[in-house]
Amino acid sequence: MSLLVSISGVRGIVGESLTPEVAVRYASAFAEYAGGGRIVLGRDGRVTGGPLANIISSTLVSMGCDVIALGIVPTPTVGLTVEKMRAAGGISVTASHNPMQWNGMKFIGQSGMFLDGVEIVRLQRILAGPPPRYAPWDKTGRHTRDESAIGRHIDAVLSQPLVRPDAIRKRSFTVVADCINAAGGAVIPELLRRLGCRVIGMNDEVGGIFSHDPEPIPGNLTALCAAVKQHRADLGIAVDPDVDRLVFITEKGEPFGEEYTVATAVNYVLGAGPRGGSPVVVNLSTTRAVDDIAARYGAPVHRTPVGEINVAGRMKTLGAAIGGEGSGGVIFPALHYMRDAMAGIGLILSQIAEAGGTMSEFRASLPSYTIRKTSIRADGKDTAAMLDAVAERLSPTARCNMEDGVKFDFDDGWVHLRRSNTEPIVRIIAEARTPEAADALLARFRNELG
């Protein structure tokens, strides 16, 4: 398995493609890219995260950087800390939703946002250049621990005017929270308690041994669904290991739908905030429900290639009030320009509290679509040629967008085919008004790819 390098950072299987030598190479290049100064470092709680973070920190210090080590924290906490401390940059040691044997590094610029395409190219040039020049003994940096970052992040969420703690507390929600034995366990139960919720924890020990596949999709959340019903809870919450993705389970023990995380946030911010007609930005793989909701408020929707920084960068350019990705990622610029499950919890619980009724009743009030997702292995395949061939065959029959793989828009649905930024697969995402139509689209295009 080769190392995966993309706009989402670098990740690989520890001991195979991701080795100490790779960590040193990337950490030293990032130190040169950042120009020294303070670098914020955090990790998502994986069992390999401690040794990897130690290697990275030692390399940064040897390059003359001062390291602010946050320990086990969400990736968005690292970004927020970089911004608030005006640090030179940050590194989150995480493989996000990938399985336990994976780990990686996400690189954050001094703005508190991930590196964009241009900045990644600059980092790659440094990587391809001469060996690193380490600092002399009297100019090495310092390693300092900061254990207060999570508390500051929670305080920042609760201080947002659109987050309504009093309304949430009045509802006294009972919430089952699946924290996947990673960074979520360090923050999600505490945030919920401060919002007045009764919390029933699942997998909230931060031990790094995941109790199930960590991607928060319905197939991996059957135990959470059962626990919501067993405890007669008002809702369930699941996050991924680095807490940038957020999904909900209704009081019936049924998936709310990861696509409807961002759709609900859009509905709430446009409806409750002072900027109802503000632009909304989502990626090409996000549900059309966002377009229908935005239309209620006269808000334009802009779409970008998949990748958090693509969405966040366009949001910043347009001055969007809300946006994100359909995989469960909410970006709320009033807090910061990163996907943030904590911000999503604050906004969406505020929406449910103020709407009254149950999670399932609120879900029924939103536009109804069915989205289906699958993938095929891409190891050794010329995926660009595969996608070009499909586009050439089918573009006369549909609106075709080739900004990121190829997306076909039909009047009654859409299909997006693209190589993953984070795994050696080609993703196939299809959406339609009914499950049967979505299944048919998915099957058709899986066959098209062969």
Side-chain angles (χ1 to χ4, degrees):
M1 178 68 66
S2 61
L3 194 70
L4 294 179
V5 182
S6 72
I7 201 165
S8 298
V10 57
R11 64 184 73 180
I13 295 177
V14 176
E16 295 182 17
S17 55
L18 184 61
T19 62
E21 291 83 1
V22 169
V24 169
R25 186 159 60 93
Y26 275 87
S28 60
F30 185 73
E32 184 176 338
Y33 167 85
R38 290 186 298 176
I39 305 294
V40 178
L41 179 65
R43 61 188 182 93
D44 72 6
R46 293 167 191 262
V47 291
T48 59
L52 189 56
N54 289 340
I55 292 168
I56 293 166
S57 178
S58 295
T59 303
L60 294 171
V61 167
S62 297
M63 291 290 292
C65 297
D66 290 332
V67 173
I68 310 299
L70 307 185
I72 297 173
V73 297
T75 291
T77 303
V78 179
L80 190 64
T81 303
V82 169
E83 181 183 354
K84 299 305 181 186
M85 286 190 168
R86 298 183 179 178
I91 297 175
S92 180
V93 180
T94 179
S96 193
H97 63 275
N98 290 50
M100 278 188 296
Q101 65 268 33
W102 290 75
N103 215 325
M105 302 162 70
K106 291 183 178 181
F107 302 105
I108 299 165
Q110 63 181 1
S111 65
M113 299 166 65
F114 290 122
L115 303 189
D116 63 21
V118 172
E119 292 166 328
I120 287 288
V121 168
R122 182 180 162 204
L123 180 63
Q124 292 290 348
R125 286 177 180 156
I126 295 171
L127 283 160
R133 298 179 61 183
Y134 294 106
W137 70 271
D138 57 344
K139 290 185 171 57
T140 56
R142 295 182 301 169
H143 175 102
T144 304
R145 291 185 59 83
D146 179 357
E147 299 180 353
S148 60
I150 282 178
R152 293 196 303 270
H153 195 159
I154 292 175
D155 289 343
V157 170
L158 297 180
S159 69
Q160 295 301 311
L162 286 184
V163 174
R164 309 284 166 76
D166 289 343
I168 297 170
R169 291 179 188 123
K170 286 180 182 177
R171 290 293 303 271
S172 300
F173 292 121
T174 296
V175 182
V176 182
D178 184 350
C179 300
I180 195 61
N181 305 110
V187 62
I188 299 302
E190 178 63 19
L191 172 63
L192 290 170
R193 291 187 187 103
R194 289 189 60 182
L195 287 167
C197 299
R198 173 177 173 252
V199 183
I200 299 168
M202 282 184 66
N203 310 314
D204 52 359
E205 306 87 1
V206 187
I209 302 295
F210 303 156
S211 55
H212 56 76
D213 190 309
E215 186 169 14
I217 56 177
N220 297 330
L221 301 177
T222 54
L224 175 59
C225 292
V228 170
K229 292 178 68 176
Q230 176 190 345
H231 293 284
R232 298 182 180 179
D234 296 292
L235 63 141
I237 283 174
V239 295
D240 67 339
D242 70 330
V243 202
D244 60 0
R245 291 174 60 174
L246 168 69
V247 301
F248 290 89
I249 305 298
T250 74
E251 80 288 351
K252 295 180 179 180
E254 298 171 349
F256 190 78
E258 66 266 32
E259 293 290 323
Y260 282 84
T261 299
V262 69
T264 301
V266 168
N267 185 77
Y268 178 62
V269 171
L270 294 183
R275 301 171 56 199
S278 166
V280 173
V281 182
V282 292
N283 70 29
L284 287 164
S285 288
T286 299
T287 177
R288 277 186 183 174
V290 169
D291 301 75
D292 294 351
I293 291 166
R296 297 174 180 172
Y297 302 99
V301 175
H302 300 262
R303 291 184 178 267
T304 75
V306 173
E308 178 177 342
I309 186 58
N310 296 322
V311 178
R314 186 77 63 83
M315 290 178 71
K316 193 168 187 177
T317 298
L318 295 173
I322 190 67
E325 299 194 286
S327 56
V330 174
I331 302 175
F332 182 45
L335 182 62
H336 62 156
Y337 282 96
M338 293 186 82
R339 293 185 311 186
D340 188 339
M342 296 161 68
I345 287 170
L347 294 173
I348 292 168
L349 290 189
S350 296
Q351 169 73 97
I352 302 304
E354 295 198 345
T358 64
M359 285 289 290
S360 60
E361 288 168 343
F362 182 79
R363 175 64 176 81
S365 73
L366 299 175
S368 182
Y369 291 91
T370 297
I371 198 162
R372 295 286 194 251
K373 303 176 184 181
T374 190
S375 62
I376 61 172
R377 298 296 299 181
D379 305 84
K381 296 180 180 178
D382 186 347
T383 54
M386 291 168 56
L387 298 179
D388 285 346
V390 175
E392 186 174 352
R393 287 197 304 273
L394 299 179
S395 57
T397 65
R399 298 182 297 278
C400 182
N401 182 309
M402 299 189 69
E403 288 182 87
D404 180 13
V406 56
K407 181 178 182 181
F408 299 98
D409 269 300
F410 307 97
D411 290 342
D412 55 353
W414 56 266
V415 176
H416 191 191
L417 315 174
R418 57 177 297 274
R419 179 156 185 149
S420 170
N421 290 333
T422 58
E423 299 174 75
I425 59 176
V426 173
R427 296 191 187 276
I428 309 170
I429 306 100
E431 184 175 67
R433 283 287 187 182
T434 66
E436 296 77 15
D439 288 337
L441 277 174
L442 199 71
R444 173 188 170 189
F445 280 85
R446 188 180 180 92
N447 289 336
E448 290 284 353
L449 287 173

